[in-house]
Amino acid sequence: MFFLVWFQNVDAQTIPSNEIIDNDKLFSYLTKTVQNSLISNGATSQVDLAKYFRTKFSERYFYNWKNNNKRFQEYTKLYPESKAKHTARALDHLAKFPAEAQWKLPFNYQNGEPVNAYALRHLARQHKMIDIGYYYFYQNKDEQYLDYFTNQMASLNTALANNKYESIEDGNGVYEAFRSGYRIINWLQLHNLFLGESGYSDKEQLVTIATFLQHAQHLYQRNQEFKSGNHQTRGLCALAMLSIILQDFEGTELWYNHAMKLLGEHLDKEINPDGFQFERTIHYHMSDIGTYFYVYQLAKKSNTPILPVWKNKLESLFTTLVKIAYPDKSAPVLSDDTDTPWAEKNDISGAMTLGYLLFEDPEIGYFANNKLSTKFYWNASASQLDKLKNIQAVPPKELSYVFPDTGYYIMREGWNKKDNMLVISADVDELKPDHQHGDILGIQAMANGQVILPNYQVRYSLKDLELFKNSMTKNVALVDNELQGKQYTSNKGGSGFGKFKNLPETKNITFLTNGNLEVFAGSHNGFENIGVQYSRQVISIDNSFWIVKDNFTSKTNHEYKQVWQGHYSLENGSDLLRASFINGSGLDIFQLHKTDNVLTDGARGKQWAVVSKKDTKNFNFITVLFPFETYDKRIDETSKEKEFNGWKLNASKWKTNNPEAISLTKEDVSIFFSVKTLKFENTKITFEKEVDVLVNFKNEDLILQLLNKKEGKAIIEKNGVTQTINCAFENN
């Protein structure tokens, strides 16, 4: 079949979004320059056109498809464990869906069971079609698996022609930006993987390209305005990629310019100035890394113009992971992290390997692997893969750190694997809090190589998503039966995803460091609906242990609670909880004020303890979180005199008139909670109001550091002389 040269030139605006261009009409949509280069003796064939695009893919895609066989052999050697995983996923998809799949609910799996919305969305993403591509090679290039890919693509095109597919308005749209973009990224990889295979005919290759064009035009038309979130960015990523790879078609520069403009707006609005992705989760943070990586890589490879802000913003996504990471090179679980349900930390090594590939920063290299994840192996050139064989790595310099725009606060001892680290979550995103959990002012901690106070990853399809998104599975304080997350609602598509319409608002956040003492203080309004004011302080002492102080005030009686995640034994009723870990280390949770009760509960193999103080108006939990490396370094539950790494309980030489006051003392330094006056020998200190304060009195030098607010006044009387001073907790 031949194309005639008199076909009218068209532009990207006329590429249809609701139908697939016939192979014999594709030539019309090429630029005049490309048309002229292809014309030979007045016409050109589909064979020539398919050959032309094979050449362009070898030049423009991440790597040269002509090395597919060699690359796949290398892949099987680098990732021998992946064969079983790819095989299982491929067989799962093959068993569930015929090649001529349906794309509109309701319909059944091949075994007769109904397909739900969650499964349809995954079919639309075509993420297991990648596994079928691998399976084709594992099965000695059995063409039935290549045909499965082309036939399933054809079934979607048929559904498009017959208007028998889920629409965006219904909530499960097959052509919704995220699903469509995800599908295109997968199909681009498969197309490149199959190029050169005898079973992938010229006709089929051109149908794939025509399908790409239809998807691109649909993404272009349906994403004209900024819409917050990763759904649009994934679609725009695919649009930018297609515009780079298929730049031979008239008007694709419109796609590129539009995609890059909107992606730039996402970078500006959704990567906070402190470098954290605005949805405040590691999962979506790394998802954005992948999205922008695809575009940045292809643009650089093809010398396509890209603004400098891309490099700065993209690099900040990696340096942010450096700052949030645990000492064992993993990262905390923050809100909707979904890669591994119920896991207590995130593997960031794959993302950091991409970062090193792009920027060769040794601090990023500290977290990188000497090979890419299986997902991104096919998105790097041979020279980039070689670069990973000799990674330059140095431990980060950053210790304790604040993400002021995102609201994460890090107390970090160091980068040795056994060092202590605690993270506080203290904000709610105003733009899109959909993925946030009921853990405002919640904490997580690691010590001795173990996550001692965990949060848990979730999965949207699981029926207990609401439980694992809300406060009973967090390390937070609660009142009565109130949880932080309120008005939970699931999405209209029925995939299982749900969000809270109401989460507490934080205020008055303070984070201060001074030598071996670090203090966080903040409040939220989550219990004001029942007349309770609440604030939380977290104090790191000598990088050895932490004190958590939860402050409740009310005009009526309530039950006040702390929730602690983990498997605990009760060593002294509710006042001493103990967890121990596989390496013999452990965590003691010791209450400095008497509490009333502790209850334990759990789900999915996880457990938590709820410590409570009942029937009171005002109460302060003052809680020592004491990690120990070996059993002999625990808090001694048999001793009447309690000591915490040299800090003695209520043993200060200073006296106070408040019988409820608590003190910890080490040498000349005392930490007091809830005091208004202090007296020692001929020195008396009087504060304006009750305060939490550190007193350092050595060689007649007196240093006061407030622990519950930034500044205040104190009257000091000494040897008949009275003076008023401003005292504060100041950063080094």
Side-chain angles (χ1 to χ4, degrees), residues 335-365:
S335 290
D336 271 354
D337 290 336
T338 65
D339 287 336
T340 313
W342 315 320
E344 298 178 359
K345 53 187 180 180
N346 281 290
D347 181 359
I348 60 173
S349 61
M352 298 303 264
T353 307
L354 291 180
Y356 186 79
L357 204 69
L358 293 178
F359 302 112
E360 297 186 54
D361 182 336
E363 287 196 1
I364 297 175

Side-chain angles (χ1 to χ4, degrees), residues 207 233 235 258 277 286 304 335 340 451 467 482 500 544 600 613:
V207 168
T233 55
H258 179 69
Q277 202 266 0
M286 293 196 297
T304 307
S335 290
T340 313
V451 178
L467 169 66
E482 295 284 321
F500 301 110
S544 174
T600 59
K613 184 69 175 180

Side-chain angles (χ1 to χ4, degrees), residues 19 47 87 121 145 166 181 200 317 381 441 466 588 608 678:
E19 63 177 306
V47 172
T87 298
R121 291 181 177 202
Y145 303 114
E166 288 290 325
Y200 195 29
L317 289 172
S381 66
L441 301 189
E466 183 180 359
D588 282 343
W608 48 87
L678 291 170

Side-chain angles (χ1 to χ4, degrees), residues 241-260:
M241 292 171 69
L242 289 173
S243 68
I244 293 169
I245 294 173
L246 301 179
Q247 58 189 263
D248 315 273
F249 290 94
E250 191 69 47
T252 51
E253 71 277 1
L254 294 175
W255 294 345
Y256 182 78
N257 292 335
H258 179 69
M260 296 303 280

Side-chain angles (χ1 to χ4, degrees), residues 482-500:
E482 295 284 321
L483 300 179
Q484 291 185 14
K486 296 178 174 64
Q487 300 177 47
Y488 183 81
T489 180
S490 58
N491 70 331
K492 66 179 181 179
S495 67
F497 172 74
K499 60 187 177 182
F500 301 110

